[in-house]
Amino acid sequence: MSNESKHLVIIGGVAAGMKAAAKARRELPMMNITVVTDEQYISYASCGTPYFIGNIVKDSKKLLIREPPYFKNMHNIDVLTRHQATSIDTKSKQVKVKGIEKGRDIIFNYDKLIIATGAQPIIPPLPGISLGNIFTLRTVSDAFKIKSCVESGKIKNAVIVGGGLIGLEMAENLVLRGIKVTIVELLDQILPPLDKDMALIVQKYLEEKGVGIITSDGVKSFEGNGDSAVTKVITGKRQLLADMVILSIGIRPNTKLAQEAGIEIGTTRAIKVNERMETNIPDVYAIGDCAENIHLVTGKPVWIALGSTAAKMGRVAAINATGGADTFKGVLGTLIVKVFELNVGKVGLSEREAIKEGFKIESTIVPASDMSHYYPGAKDIIIKLIADVTTRKLLGAEIVGDGIVDKRIDIIATALTFGAMVDQVSKLDLAYAPPYAMVMDAILVAANVLNNKLTGKATGILPQKVAEKSDRGEDFILLDVRTDMEYKSGHIKGCQYIPLDKLASRTHELDGSKEIITYCRSGLRAVQAYRILKNAGFKNVKYMDGSILAWAYGLEK
Amino acid sequence: MSNESKHLVIIGGVAAGMKAAAKARRELPMMNITVVTDEQYISYASCGTPYFIGNIVKDSKKLLIREPPYFKNMHNIDVLTRHQATSIDTKSKQVKVKGIEKGRDIIFNYDKLIIATGAQPIIPPLPGISLGNIFTLRTVSDAFKIKSCVESGKIKNAVIVGGGLIGLEMAENLVLRGIKVTIVELLDQILPPLDKDMALIVQKYLEEKGVGIITSDGVKSFEGNGDSAVTKVITGKRQLLADMVILSIGIRPNTKLAQEAGIEIGTTRAIKVNERMETNIPDVYAIGDCAENIHLVTGKPVWIALGSTAAKMGRVAAINATGGADTFKGVLGTLIVKVFELNVGKVGLSEREAIKEGFKIESTIVPASDMSHYYPGAKDIIIKLIADVTTRKLLGAEIVGDGIVDKRIDIIATALTFGAMVDQVSKLDLAYAPPYAMVMDAILVAANVLNNKLTGKATGILPQKVAEKSDRGEDFILLDVRTDMEYKSGHIKGCQYIPLDKLASRTHELDGSKEIITYCRSGLRAVQAYRILKNAGFKNVKYMDGSILAWAYGLEK
């Protein structure tokens, strides 16, 4: 039997599944291809649903990229919606499928099987969880329900449980609909993939936008009214009014079907696949949110469910399932999220993750302009870079700002893919013209600062560490070296003040027996002050990376 | 003598020179540092001057980043403006400097010398070249003169001689000031670093914006009026009215001083340096626009004068001249230019350059959206990728569009730095969310298309090659496979029309003895049609890369 006349069955009809179907068709024009999905809609843009709810994307048709007749007519792909795959027999190579409405069973014989069963939101079994107006957002059907609720006009207060990506996107889009939003997060920070110092910058920004943020507090129960709609969220420490709740505490891979068929599950609890997207069972592939990946920085299995990864895995599985050969080596945990006008991105390992992985790390925080400062519209971004002290290789980056973040994240994603050293990143020949970048792009500047730390040219300390020192009551000198006007406009509590241009002649005012930490606005003058003090013989000196621009803990006048 | 008490002399006070001075100071707080420059202004943003003339940057102070007193007071760097370095004695390690106003000579002894003499515009010795209102744009002083001329209110018509980056930026900024602009270019295309097919897209766009573009024509002379101001530009084929002329035919490195001192000049006619920025003479460095570089793709010397490169070279020279160790390996010829709302970028080798370098190449042109198509504000870009058939490594990219171009150029710049294969680029874990990219970013899509061509999965032909075939009167079938509505809205002259969904059943209408080239709107359906025809047994089939979106040669209805 030639590949052409074989039967490819795909379970799952959203990002990974439909990508695999379309790619398989392009590879083999005559192959039989069947997609089964328990959902009503296929091939939709699930990442766009928050913007549909916020009415930034007004027409739901724009999210529903393709419908079954399109795939039948244009690609001769059979799509069965509202059909649940109930079991896989990997010996006889059959999938049993049950129609959700009609209830009849269908048996499909497959030559190749691709599992793309996705993931589902975690719903905690809390008292009151089944009250009305408590939603998760995963599918386009979920989005229709939430949008309809929002447009009922009855929603004044919403509580979002979970401060991850979906939670933040929903916060923005509900605020755009005139709803007062509070985010409740169990951890001590929002945006768990980021380090706390960078997450705190986002938190401050959201609070300025009127979003309530409660961290280190968990939801205990929900209370409702006579109509059985939610009215209150009870947390460990508070009671919050809520006409609507969005649960976004996380997702888990849909692996039950695979697991029952004897398909191996990985350490991340998602389906284990090799770089050809093959499971442990011959002719069975797994892709998308139900499958695990390799993290390209650690080389270890990781489960990071993203549409962009699903599409790539779908493509690779389709090529291999149709007789070709392709591989997908892994991911970097790259993420980007728009939070009102703030762009927040991360790639590779955070400082916390890198330390947990056993790396000896150095890091820096560098505020910079996203384009030439004199060009209209130039905006600030704050870059955190993390590197391995031993190899001087970059490990990860986190970037936050109203300036252009995604470009710099993608540059670092590309650099990490090729195991770039920090020094190599600082020399990249990036595109420069005033409307696009500074003459030394922000990311090159940040790499230079980090390289100075890696090579021992300067010793810095991150703002969060300074704040922790203060909290612990440690005795050290925090030295503000800005201009008089800057100092008076707001400085860190307890600092000593000597402007930079007077520092060389006033070093006698400093107690050399104490640790001295210099700071300015962005860190640049702090480094100069650091050098002046080192040159004057002070031994125990550091500068504060990012200084005031990265200081998220309040100032006094 | 310690490094600290040595004397560093830097000749040149713009991008490279002042960067080197500032970095040397940070490295060695007590070193003597002297900068001499024949210019009046230092440390200015020369790349911003077109936008100053266009009044996008209104205040000249924004371009003049720092003045001599700042460097003296803040960094203890002596800056002598309006002082011309007239000779270097590399044996006695002395630089002779002449004050331009006072005419007195000063001799500086140096321990380390950094030459950053920059480049100057080429001024062709044509009749009438010294008439009034004929300008070059290189320095901020040039910009003041041009802006003053523009603001005289007397300028109706401007001719820009040379269609390179500066020429295009000036075209936009003069149009913004209400001036009618014509660009005259001697070559058969504007933007010489780009391939002609991509440059033609930019040319069409500029013409739509009302900019006159004359290619394959050279200026022969200038004519003036009684006030000795230019009134006419006489080319080989035309006479053009002109109250103002901008000469932007190119620049050449200022190497006379170095050459007379016995410093080696490279094959590119710029000063030869190694990766430490050292010349052939001990303790003498050269940086910025007067020095050559290595092209990271070819490994050969190249002279590409850009501010971003100058800054990096300045930093490396300063580190080495102060006793440290740093290297700058080379450049990729990365460029970006804003032309009204169009973004135009290039990195690595163009197709023409790659062929000239002896590479056996494959290339593609892929139109794509810069973000999720359903997200408001999504715009188109057209990506050309060039790869080496033998190694399947990427060689270069050119991107044009009103969507985001600089991000994709920078991704490719980073990939090229690490010798990425096309397949590796197609799998990059780039940041995805609807406001930033498509689920498979445009650059990944383009890499996939190119990889299909490299691996023989599809045979494409670029629009320019199709146009050339037609011009030569070759007998082939150009097959439009779009919808009826699309076909009627405009198609390529002489095409045969069969819509994609009817193609499989209507292949008998096609003459299989002829070469068939399929096309659609963007190339995607053209590939599907290609596969249908191949599957139906047609041997001589190609699809047109980029199809109508990349077709710059007119349509008929």
Side-chain angles (χ1 to χ4, degrees), chain A residues 399-421:
Chain A
I399 313 180
V400 170
D402 50 2
I404 303 294
V405 166
D406 58 323
K407 172 164 85 167
R408 279 91 194 178
I409 289 290
D410 283 353
I411 293 166
I412 298 299
T414 309
L416 286 174
T417 301
F418 297 98
M421 293 179 66

PDB file of all heavy atoms in Angstrom, chain A residues 399-421:
ATOM      1  N   ILE A 399      11.686  41.135  29.539  1.00  0.00           N
ATOM      2  CA  ILE A 399      11.641  42.542  29.122  1.00  0.00           C
ATOM      3  C   ILE A 399      10.235  43.089  29.347  1.00  0.00           C
ATOM      4  O   ILE A 399       9.238  42.436  29.020  1.00  0.00           O
ATOM      5  CB  ILE A 399      12.037  42.704  27.642  1.00  0.00           C
ATOM      6  CG1 ILE A 399      13.320  41.913  27.319  1.00  0.00           C
ATOM      7  CG2 ILE A 399      12.222  44.184  27.294  1.00  0.00           C
ATOM      8  CD1 ILE A 399      13.790  42.027  25.879  1.00  0.00           C
ATOM      9  N   VAL A 400      10.167  44.285  29.899  1.00  0.00           N
ATOM     10  CA  VAL A 400       8.897  44.936  30.227  1.00  0.00           C
ATOM     11  C   VAL A 400       8.979  46.396  29.810  1.00  0.00           C
ATOM     12  O   VAL A 400      10.006  47.037  30.024  1.00  0.00           O
ATOM     13  CB  VAL A 400       8.643  44.866  31.750  1.00  0.00           C
ATOM     14  CG1 VAL A 400       7.457  45.732  32.153  1.00  0.00           C
ATOM     15  CG2 VAL A 400       8.418  43.418  32.194  1.00  0.00           C
ATOM     16  N   GLY A 401       7.922  46.911  29.205  1.00  0.00           N
ATOM     17  CA  GLY A 401       7.922  48.338  28.918  1.00  0.00           C
ATOM     18  C   GLY A 401       6.848  48.725  27.936  1.00  0.00           C
ATOM     19  O   GLY A 401       6.239  47.866  27.292  1.00  0.00           O
ATOM     20  N   ASP A 402       6.614  50.042  27.811  1.00  0.00           N
ATOM     21  CA  ASP A 402       5.662  50.467  26.786  1.00  0.00           C
ATOM     22  C   ASP A 402       6.359  50.618  25.441  1.00  0.00           C
ATOM     23  O   ASP A 402       5.713  50.807  24.427  1.00  0.00           O
ATOM     24  CB  ASP A 402       4.866  51.724  27.195  1.00  0.00           C
ATOM     25  CG  ASP A 402       5.750  52.837  27.678  1.00  0.00           C
ATOM     26  OD1 ASP A 402       6.990  52.676  27.668  1.00  0.00           O
ATOM     27  OD2 ASP A 402       5.220  53.895  28.046  1.00  0.00           O
ATOM     28  N   GLY A 403       7.664  50.500  25.403  1.00  0.00           N
ATOM     29  CA  GLY A 403       8.403  50.436  24.139  1.00  0.00           C
ATOM     30  C   GLY A 403       8.323  49.034  23.543  1.00  0.00           C
ATOM     31  O   GLY A 403       7.642  48.155  24.056  1.00  0.00           O
ATOM     32  N   ILE A 404       9.043  48.861  22.439  1.00  0.00           N
ATOM     33  CA  ILE A 404       8.983  47.603  21.678  1.00  0.00           C
ATOM     34  C   ILE A 404       9.747  46.499  22.411  1.00  0.00           C
ATOM     35  O   ILE A 404      10.965  46.548  22.558  1.00  0.00           O
ATOM     36  CB  ILE A 404       9.586  47.788  20.272  1.00  0.00           C
ATOM     37  CG1 ILE A 404       8.880  48.902  19.513  1.00  0.00           C
ATOM     38  CG2 ILE A 404       9.530  46.472  19.488  1.00  0.00           C
ATOM     39  CD1 ILE A 404       7.450  48.640  19.169  1.00  0.00           C
ATOM     40  N   VAL A 405       9.014  45.504  22.850  1.00  0.00           N
ATOM     41  CA  VAL A 405       9.587  44.390  23.620  1.00  0.00           C
ATOM     42  C   VAL A 405       9.749  43.137  22.753  1.00  0.00           C
ATOM     43  O   VAL A 405      10.764  42.444  22.824  1.00  0.00           O
ATOM     44  CB  VAL A 405       8.688  44.087  24.838  1.00  0.00           C
ATOM     45  CG1 VAL A 405       9.043  42.744  25.472  1.00  0.00           C
ATOM     46  CG2 VAL A 405       8.799  45.210  25.863  1.00  0.00           C
ATOM     47  N   ASP A 406       8.738  42.850  21.914  1.00  0.00           N
ATOM     48  CA  ASP A 406       8.731  41.568  21.189  1.00  0.00           C
ATOM     49  C   ASP A 406       9.967  41.398  20.312  1.00  0.00           C
ATOM     50  O   ASP A 406      10.521  40.307  20.210  1.00  0.00           O
ATOM     51  CB  ASP A 406       7.438  41.398  20.378  1.00  0.00           C
ATOM     52  CG  ASP A 406       7.202  42.513  19.381  1.00  0.00           C
ATOM     53  OD1 ASP A 406       7.516  43.671  19.701  1.00  0.00           O
ATOM     54  OD2 ASP A 406       6.708  42.237  18.275  1.00  0.00           O
ATOM     55  N   LYS A 407      10.419  42.485  19.698  1.00  0.00           N
ATOM     56  CA  LYS A 407      11.617  42.399  18.848  1.00  0.00           C
ATOM     57  C   LYS A 407      12.812  41.901  19.639  1.00  0.00           C
ATOM     58  O   LYS A 407      13.519  40.986  19.206  1.00  0.00           O
ATOM     59  CB  LYS A 407      11.920  43.767  18.241  1.00  0.00           C
ATOM     60  CG  LYS A 407      13.251  43.817  17.502  1.00  0.00           C
ATOM     61  CD  LYS A 407      13.373  45.016  16.584  1.00  0.00           C
ATOM     62  CE  LYS A 407      13.849  46.262  17.294  1.00  0.00           C
ATOM     63  NZ  LYS A 407      14.236  47.307  16.305  1.00  0.00           N
ATOM     64  N   ARG A 408      13.012  42.477  20.816  1.00  0.00           N
ATOM     65  CA  ARG A 408      14.191  42.085  21.616  1.00  0.00           C
ATOM     66  C   ARG A 408      14.049  40.662  22.153  1.00  0.00           C
ATOM     67  O   ARG A 408      15.036  39.947  22.286  1.00  0.00           O
ATOM     68  CB  ARG A 408      14.418  43.084  22.748  1.00  0.00           C
ATOM     69  CG  ARG A 408      15.139  44.368  22.321  1.00  0.00           C
ATOM     70  CD  ARG A 408      14.226  45.469  21.912  1.00  0.00           C
ATOM     71  NE  ARG A 408      14.913  46.549  21.201  1.00  0.00           N
ATOM     72  CZ  ARG A 408      14.274  47.610  20.721  1.00  0.00           C
ATOM     73  NH1 ARG A 408      12.969  47.756  20.876  1.00  0.00           N
ATOM     74  NH2 ARG A 408      14.935  48.533  20.054  1.00  0.00           N
ATOM     75  N   ILE A 409      12.829  40.272  22.480  1.00  0.00           N
ATOM     76  CA  ILE A 409      12.616  38.882  22.922  1.00  0.00           C
ATOM     77  C   ILE A 409      12.981  37.921  21.791  1.00  0.00           C
ATOM     78  O   ILE A 409      13.639  36.898  22.009  1.00  0.00           O
ATOM     79  CB  ILE A 409      11.140  38.694  23.365  1.00  0.00           C
ATOM     80  CG1 ILE A 409      10.871  39.433  24.682  1.00  0.00           C
ATOM     81  CG2 ILE A 409      10.787  37.208  23.486  1.00  0.00           C
ATOM     82  CD1 ILE A 409      11.519  38.842  25.905  1.00  0.00           C
ATOM     83  N   ASP A 410      12.570  38.265  20.581  1.00  0.00           N
ATOM     84  CA  ASP A 410      12.849  37.379  19.447  1.00  0.00           C
ATOM     85  C   ASP A 410      14.344  37.326  19.109  1.00  0.00           C
ATOM     86  O   ASP A 410      14.846  36.275  18.689  1.00  0.00           O
ATOM     87  CB  ASP A 410      12.044  37.822  18.221  1.00  0.00           C
ATOM     88  CG  ASP A 410      10.587  37.398  18.313  1.00  0.00           C
ATOM     89  OD1 ASP A 410      10.250  36.642  19.257  1.00  0.00           O
ATOM     90  OD2 ASP A 410       9.780  37.802  17.466  1.00  0.00           O
ATOM     91  N   ILE A 411      15.023  38.430  19.281  1.00  0.00           N
ATOM     92  CA  ILE A 411      16.481  38.428  19.074  1.00  0.00           C
ATOM     93  C   ILE A 411      17.129  37.465  20.065  1.00  0.00           C
ATOM     94  O   ILE A 411      17.972  36.641  19.700  1.00  0.00           O
ATOM     95  CB  ILE A 411      17.051  39.853  19.238  1.00  0.00           C
ATOM     96  CG1 ILE A 411      16.564  40.765  18.116  1.00  0.00           C
ATOM     97  CG2 ILE A 411      18.589  39.827  19.301  1.00  0.00           C
ATOM     98  CD1 ILE A 411      16.792  42.247  18.380  1.00  0.00           C
ATOM     99  N   ILE A 412      16.700  37.558  21.324  1.00  0.00           N
ATOM    100  CA  ILE A 412      17.277  36.672  22.348  1.00  0.00           C
ATOM    101  C   ILE A 412      16.846  35.225  22.107  1.00  0.00           C
ATOM    102  O   ILE A 412      17.635  34.296  22.300  1.00  0.00           O
ATOM    103  CB  ILE A 412      16.882  37.151  23.769  1.00  0.00           C
ATOM    104  CG1 ILE A 412      17.434  38.550  24.034  1.00  0.00           C
ATOM    105  CG2 ILE A 412      17.379  36.168  24.836  1.00  0.00           C
ATOM    106  CD1 ILE A 412      18.944  38.666  23.987  1.00  0.00           C
ATOM    107  N   ALA A 413      15.612  35.021  21.655  1.00  0.00           N
ATOM    108  CA  ALA A 413      15.168  33.649  21.342  1.00  0.00           C
ATOM    109  C   ALA A 413      16.079  33.036  20.281  1.00  0.00           C
ATOM    110  O   ALA A 413      16.495  31.875  20.394  1.00  0.00           O
ATOM    111  CB  ALA A 413      13.725  33.663  20.848  1.00  0.00           C
ATOM    112  N   THR A 414      16.404  33.820  19.271  1.00  0.00           N
ATOM    113  CA  THR A 414      17.279  33.321  18.207  1.00  0.00           C
ATOM    114  C   THR A 414      18.676  33.064  18.755  1.00  0.00           C
ATOM    115  O   THR A 414      19.290  32.024  18.484  1.00  0.00           O
ATOM    116  CB  THR A 414      17.304  34.327  17.042  1.00  0.00           C
ATOM    117  OG1 THR A 414      15.963  34.658  16.675  1.00  0.00           O
ATOM    118  CG2 THR A 414      18.021  33.750  15.833  1.00  0.00           C
ATOM    119  N   ALA A 415      19.169  33.981  19.566  1.00  0.00           N
ATOM    120  CA  ALA A 415      20.508  33.824  20.150  1.00  0.00           C
ATOM    121  C   ALA A 415      20.560  32.580  21.049  1.00  0.00           C
ATOM    122  O   ALA A 415      21.514  31.795  20.983  1.00  0.00           O
ATOM    123  CB  ALA A 415      20.880  35.082  20.934  1.00  0.00           C
ATOM    124  N   LEU A 416      19.534  32.382  21.870  1.00  0.00           N
ATOM    125  CA  LEU A 416      19.508  31.216  22.770  1.00  0.00           C
ATOM    126  C   LEU A 416      19.472  29.912  21.978  1.00  0.00           C
ATOM    127  O   LEU A 416      20.070  28.907  22.386  1.00  0.00           O
ATOM    128  CB  LEU A 416      18.284  31.281  23.695  1.00  0.00           C
ATOM    129  CG  LEU A 416      18.320  32.302  24.829  1.00  0.00           C
ATOM    130  CD1 LEU A 416      16.972  32.334  25.546  1.00  0.00           C
ATOM    131  CD2 LEU A 416      19.442  32.008  25.816  1.00  0.00           C
ATOM    132  N   THR A 417      18.768  29.912  20.854  1.00  0.00           N
ATOM    133  CA  THR A 417      18.679  28.711  20.012  1.00  0.00           C
ATOM    134  C   THR A 417      20.067  28.237  19.589  1.00  0.00           C
ATOM    135  O   THR A 417      20.313  27.051  19.454  1.00  0.00           O
ATOM    136  CB  THR A 417      17.828  29.018  18.757  1.00  0.00           C
ATOM    137  OG1 THR A 417      16.543  29.438  19.187  1.00  0.00           O
ATOM    138  CG2 THR A 417      17.693  27.795  17.855  1.00  0.00           C
ATOM    139  N   PHE A 418      20.967  29.212  19.401  1.00  0.00           N
ATOM    140  CA  PHE A 418      22.308  28.872  18.939  1.00  0.00           C
ATOM    141  C   PHE A 418      23.350  28.951  20.058  1.00  0.00           C
ATOM    142  O   PHE A 418      24.548  29.019  19.802  1.00  0.00           O
ATOM    143  CB  PHE A 418      22.674  29.765  17.748  1.00  0.00           C
ATOM    144  CG  PHE A 418      21.767  29.531  16.573  1.00  0.00           C
ATOM    145  CD1 PHE A 418      20.690  30.363  16.317  1.00  0.00           C
ATOM    146  CD2 PHE A 418      21.947  28.413  15.765  1.00  0.00           C
ATOM    147  CE1 PHE A 418      19.820  30.122  15.268  1.00  0.00           C
ATOM    148  CE2 PHE A 418      21.082  28.165  14.703  1.00  0.00           C
ATOM    149  CZ  PHE A 418      20.018  29.017  14.452  1.00  0.00           C
ATOM    150  N   GLY A 419      22.886  28.950  21.310  1.00  0.00           N
ATOM    151  CA  GLY A 419      23.808  28.913  22.442  1.00  0.00           C
ATOM    152  C   GLY A 419      24.733  30.113  22.526  1.00  0.00           C
ATOM    153  O   GLY A 419      25.916  29.982  22.856  1.00  0.00           O
ATOM    154  N   ALA A 420      24.208  31.287  22.257  1.00  0.00           N
ATOM    155  CA  ALA A 420      25.039  32.490  22.191  1.00  0.00           C
ATOM    156  C   ALA A 420      25.647  32.865  23.529  1.00  0.00           C
ATOM    157  O   ALA A 420      25.015  32.748  24.580  1.00  0.00           O
ATOM    158  CB  ALA A 420      24.206  33.664  21.669  1.00  0.00           C
ATOM    159  N   MET A 421      26.900  33.336  23.468  1.00  0.00           N
ATOM    160  CA  MET A 421      27.512  33.936  24.642  1.00  0.00           C
ATOM    161  C   MET A 421      27.058  35.397  24.744  1.00  0.00           C
ATOM    162  O   MET A 421      26.709  36.024  23.748  1.00  0.00           O
ATOM    163  CB  MET A 421      29.027  33.872  24.535  1.00  0.00           C
ATOM    164  CG  MET A 421      29.535  32.428  24.598  1.00  0.00           C
ATOM    165  SD  MET A 421      31.331  32.360  24.445  1.00  0.00           S
ATOM    166  CE  MET A 421      31.803  33.193  25.974  1.00  0.00           C
TER     167      MET A 421
END
